[in-house]
Amino acid sequence: MLESVLIANRGEIALRVIRACRALGVRSIAIYSDLDHGAPHVREADDAVRVGSYLDIDEVVAAARATGAAAIHPGYGFLSERAAFARAVEAAGIKLVGPSAAVMEQMGRKDAARDIAVKAGVPVVPAYAVDDPVEDMRFPVLVKAAAGGGGKGMRVVREPEAYDEAVAAARREATSSFGDDTILVEKYVERGRHIEVQVLADAHGNVVHLFERDCSTQRRHQKVLEEAPAPTITAETRRTVTEAAVALTAHVGYENAGTVEFLLDDATGDVYFLEMNTRLQVEHPVTESVVVCTSPQQRATGATGAHVDLVQLQLRVAAGEPLPFGQDDLAISGHAIEARVYAEDSFGGFLPQAGTATIVRWPARARVDHALESGQVVSTSYDPMLGKVIARGPDRESARRALVAALDDTAVLGLTTNTGFLRALVASDEFRDATIDTAWLDRNTVPEPSRDLARVFVAWVSAMLVAERDAGHPFRADGWRSGADPAPILVELDETVPVDRARGTVGDHEVRQLSAERHVAVLTIDGRREQAVVNVQPHIVEAVHRGQRFVFERPDVFGDHALDVSDGAVIAPMPGTVLDVRVEPGQAVAEGDVLGAMEAMKMELAFKAPFAGTVSAVDAAAGDQVALGARIFLVEPSEGDPSGPGDAG
């Protein structure tokens, strides 16, 4: 076995590799950038080395040399499919946990991989040359970059008139993303299934498949949900794709874990090779959750075998060991579905989000691969994936219901994630019935969760805290507890909500409290049990219900004097961006004059003069990012102004 492995990655996949190393007694070595100096993967590894960038080949290889690493595990993303990185690792005399540079170079390019697939007898999508006459093409076609992946450099072209511009745009994006503007043009399958086969090969000529996954639920070629086994394919299709994947893997002399991707045309039943991913896949946990290794004796008795661990198998293969099983030793047991949790606003244009994850709750009733914890800063500098929630069951429907429950238990406050979107999607009739194809999310929308129930939670908890305050039970930073029944309270949110805890009503809703502690409230609302994570702050209240984050401002704070004022200092009530500054030092202002504005939590807030006086300081400029409590302006009162600071009357 390898003595030590440097992990050339970050986040949840780095933690996943660390766990595998620990299980095998292998010393794990992390690398980290300045942004990640206190990240979970740095704390968990046996050793850690700073690098300027995860993409700097020379620095990563130098870190491996300096720490005496016997091998480098690239994870996925970053350098994982860069043949230049594989060559540098080989030149340094270090083992890459993956295929050789030569194989990676061939299979990492869609054009070269296509040619190899043809030679291996694997069916491929009908294609055109980029410069073929447009009138000879049958539209729609898919224009895509030959290098790289992740949906970058892809365009669907439906009319001949749009072809030239699509090719030019795909070339620009391919050059920017991969440094290579080579383009492929293929038949576009309108209604298709994305089927991929997990393969594993050792250095002794042994190749096996670990069955297939369905990754059809995707948006703009980016996967959203993945499951294993594929729920809609026939036994004949399963045999076709698995045999083709093994043949291709053996033909190219592949070593270690890889994935061969196929497109199944729903209209014709034809299946086509798409590409090969020469690395571990993001969705590998669904395969680990359903593929078991059974000995001949276990098969004879019907006993369930042990689940495979793909990362441990990767490390064993990299150490030169033969595969510990043959194809006949592998079987499928149950069903598993994975949901990718991203820092993005799915109901606001899928825009990436950033900020501090103030409270993080991951589900206990599912496998969760993540590297996000409470208090952690999420930056736009890296991929927005925060974690993966994986649920399994004896069949697909039980796995689907388990995933809905797990996403109900998932909560991230402080920034918006796609968890509510995922929950609504997994709970949908279309996903339940397995009718979602690769373009479904591009044709359809997922209903946005209602704020109504979240408002009930926020109003109930706010009223509870008022009762505790009045009863002498102060709000605690680590959560809250239930107090005595108070008189009815009007809670001011985006609307006025009457709360009568004695009668058990919030507006028109009947409410009963089951529990409330450590930010988690469990209520029955109109007879149905519901749960939410609620965080009451001085200026906003957040609630996560069914995975969706809702933010309510508190109008008692955001009134005519919306932003905090202390002794003439006008300060920011939350982190945000200064939109404009309308005054300068020495300028006279009247009470209520607008001094400037900021944007925070998607709200535009006006800075207003607290009283008549003179602006003595301007501490920010338009475009500045400001922290909670930062002073933006200082106003000195006019002489003799009774409304100035420090005057009791």
Side-chain angles (χ1 to χ4, degrees):
M1 179 47 62
L2 302 166
E3 291 185 2
S4 57
V5 173
L6 181 134
I7 303 158
N9 219 296
R10 66 184 296 277
E12 59 89 14
I13 186 55
L15 287 173
R16 173 70 185 88
V17 178
I18 290 169
R19 289 197 300 273
C21 288
R22 187 171 296 145
L24 295 176
V26 176
R27 184 169 70 98
S28 59
I29 306 162
I31 59 172
Y32 63 93
S33 66
D34 289 339
L35 282 175
D36 279 343
H37 69 277
H41 77 279
V42 179
R43 300 198 306 267
E44 288 296 315
D46 297 317
D47 196 358
V49 181
R50 179 195 171 278
V51 294
S53 168
Y54 294 102
L55 291 169
D56 191 314
I57 293 175
D58 293 338
E59 278 200 276
V60 172
V61 173
R65 279 175 165 164
T67 55
I72 297 178
H73 195 303
Y76 40 71
F78 291 129
L79 299 171
S80 62
E81 292 184 283
R82 299 276 185 93
F85 176 59
R87 282 195 298 272
V89 173
E90 291 170 3
I94 301 169
K95 180 65 177 178
L96 181 72
V97 183
S100 67
V103 170
M104 190 179 294
E105 195 154 43
Q106 293 179 78
M107 301 310 294
R109 289 187 56 87
K110 296 181 179 68
D111 50 357
R114 178 189 173 89
D115 292 341
I116 292 168
V118 171
K119 293 175 183 176
V122 176
V124 297
V125 183
Y128 303 95
V130 178
D131 54 359
D132 279 352
V134 174
E135 55 269 21
D136 292 344
M137 297 182 183
R138 186 172 180 179
F139 289 84
V141 298
L142 179 65
V143 174
K144 64 181 184 180
K152 295 182 176 65
M154 282 191 178
R155 298 289 188 279
V156 177
V157 187
R158 299 188 178 279
E159 300 88 18
E161 297 76 19
Y163 179 76
D164 289 343
E165 175 54 34
V167 170
R171 286 192 193 279
R172 289 193 297 270
E173 190 170 335
T175 301
S176 172
S177 300
F178 315 120
D180 186 332
D181 69 352
T182 306
I183 295 297
L184 297 178
V185 182
E186 296 176 341
K187 167 189 173 181
Y188 178 64
V189 176
E190 289 280 9
R191 303 289 172 97
R193 298 272 178 175
H194 185 115
I195 309 296
E196 59 186 33
V197 178
Q198 178 71 60
V199 293
L200 192 63
D202 62 25
H204 306 278
N206 301 307
V207 181
V208 298
H209 69 78
L210 292 90
F211 302 96
E212 83 290 339
R213 299 182 286 255
D214 186 311
C215 306
S216 301
T217 307
Q218 31 183 277
R219 176 183 172 273
R220 296 185 179 178
H221 310 293
Q222 296 275 12
K223 298 169 186 174
V224 178
L225 302 172
E226 302 102 352
E227 56 185 309
T232 63
I233 66 173
T234 64
E236 181 181 357
T237 299
R238 173 172 290 117
R239 185 168 56 253
T240 296
V241 296
T242 54
E243 288 179 356
V246 169
L248 180 63
T249 303
H251 178 83
V252 77
Y254 195 89
E255 182 184 321
N256 217 275
T259 297
V260 184
E261 301 191 347
F262 297 89
L263 180 63
L264 173 64
D265 189 334
D266 275 351
T268 66
D270 294 331
V271 64
Y272 305 115
F273 167 76
L274 284 177
E275 61 181 309
M276 184 174 193
N277 292 134
T278 55
R279 53 167 169 80
L280 187 69
Q281 290 281 89
V282 174
E283 57 271 23
H284 75 274
V286 294
T287 293
E288 294 182 328
S289 298
V290 301
V291 176
V292 295
C293 179
T294 60
S295 68
Q297 182 180 1
Q298 286 175 316
R299 289 198 302 275
T301 61
T304 302
H307 286 268
V308 298
D309 186 308
L310 281 168
V311 182
Q312 288 189 37
L313 288 167
Q314 281 192 293
L315 297 175
R316 290 188 180 279
V317 168
E321 297 181 20
L323 293 178
F325 43 67
Q327 190 66 64
D328 291 341
D329 297 320
L330 299 173
I332 293 176
S333 174
H335 199 97
I337 310 172
E338 172 181 290
R340 300 186 182 193
V341 178
Y342 282 92
E344 68 178 18
D345 185 355
S346 303
F347 299 107
F350 291 90
L351 296 177
Q353 302 291 295
T356 300
T358 52
I359 297 174
V360 178
R361 297 280 194 272
W362 293 108
R365 296 179 289 175
R367 170 176 170 175
V368 183
D369 286 12
H370 76 92
L372 183 71
E373 55 195 13
S374 298
Q376 191 169 333
V377 175
V378 175
S379 167
T380 56
S381 299
Y382 300 116
D383 187 275
M385 191 173 74
L386 304 176
K388 304 173 302 194
V389 179
I390 306 100
R392 75 175 306 277
D395 52 53
R396 184 176 188 269
E397 180 57 17
S398 61
R400 187 190 70 86
R401 291 196 301 264
L403 184 56
V404 171
L407 293 171
D408 279 340
D409 291 344
T410 303
V412 178
L413 288 81
L415 71 153
T416 297
T417 73
N418 68 334
T419 311
F421 171 83
L422 294 171
R423 196 270 185 198
L425 181 59
V426 176
S428 69
D429 293 346
E430 291 82 1
F431 187 77
R432 179 198 63 201
D433 298 337
T435 59
I436 294 179
D437 58 65
T438 54
W440 190 88
L441 279 174
D442 297 328
R443 300 190 307 267
N444 299 274
T445 58
V446 175
E448 185 169 356
S450 169
R451 290 172 63 89
D452 187 46
L453 290 180
R455 187 182 295 108
V456 171
F457 274 100
V458 166
W460 183 269
V461 170
S462 297
M464 184 185 73
L465 293 177
V466 169
E468 289 189 351
R469 180 195 64 196
D470 293 345
H473 300 298
F475 170 73
R476 300 186 308 182
D478 62 343
W480 18 256
R481 60 192 177 205
S482 177
D485 289 333
I489 296 172
L490 293 179
V491 178
E492 298 293 337
L493 299 169
D494 51 352
E495 59 184 60
T496 301
V497 184
V499 179
D500 190 330
R501 295 184 65 232
R503 294 179 56 196
T505 60
V506 175
D508 296 330
H509 297 281
E510 293 184 359
V511 178
R512 294 292 182 272
Q513 179 175 305
L514 300 179
S515 64
E517 58 181 340
R518 299 189 63 78
H519 295 288
V520 180
V522 182
L523 311 176
T524 58
I525 302 175
D526 299 327
R528 181 170 178 174
R529 182 185 181 278
E530 301 282 353
Q531 176 179 304
V533 177
V534 182
N535 190 23
V536 180
Q537 302 168 68
H539 307 286
I540 62 169
V541 186
E542 293 177 87
V544 172
H545 177 246
R546 296 181 183 173
Q548 183 65 26
R549 173 179 177 251
F550 298 92
V551 180
F552 297 86
E553 65 174 279
R554 304 181 71 184
D556 57 322
V557 177
F558 298 130
D560 286 339
H561 302 287
L563 291 101
D564 286 354
V565 177
S566 175
D567 295 330
V570 181
I571 63 176
M574 65 181 77
T577 304
V578 176
L579 295 178
D580 72 322
V581 173
R582 304 181 188 179
V583 294
E584 57 187 22
Q587 183 173 333
V589 293
E591 180 179 348
D593 279 357
V594 176
L595 310 178
M598 73 175 290
E599 182 180 48
M601 310 299 290
K602 296 189 175 181
M603 298 179 291
E604 185 171 322
L605 311 173
F607 296 101
K608 295 183 179 181
F611 37 73
T614 302
V615 177
S616 59
V618 176
D619 299 311
D624 284 357
Q625 300 287 322
V626 293
L628 167 68
R631 190 181 78 175
I632 312 300
F633 302 96
L634 182 63
V635 179
E636 294 184 356
S638 303
E639 288 188 15
D641 185 351
S643 63
D647 194 313

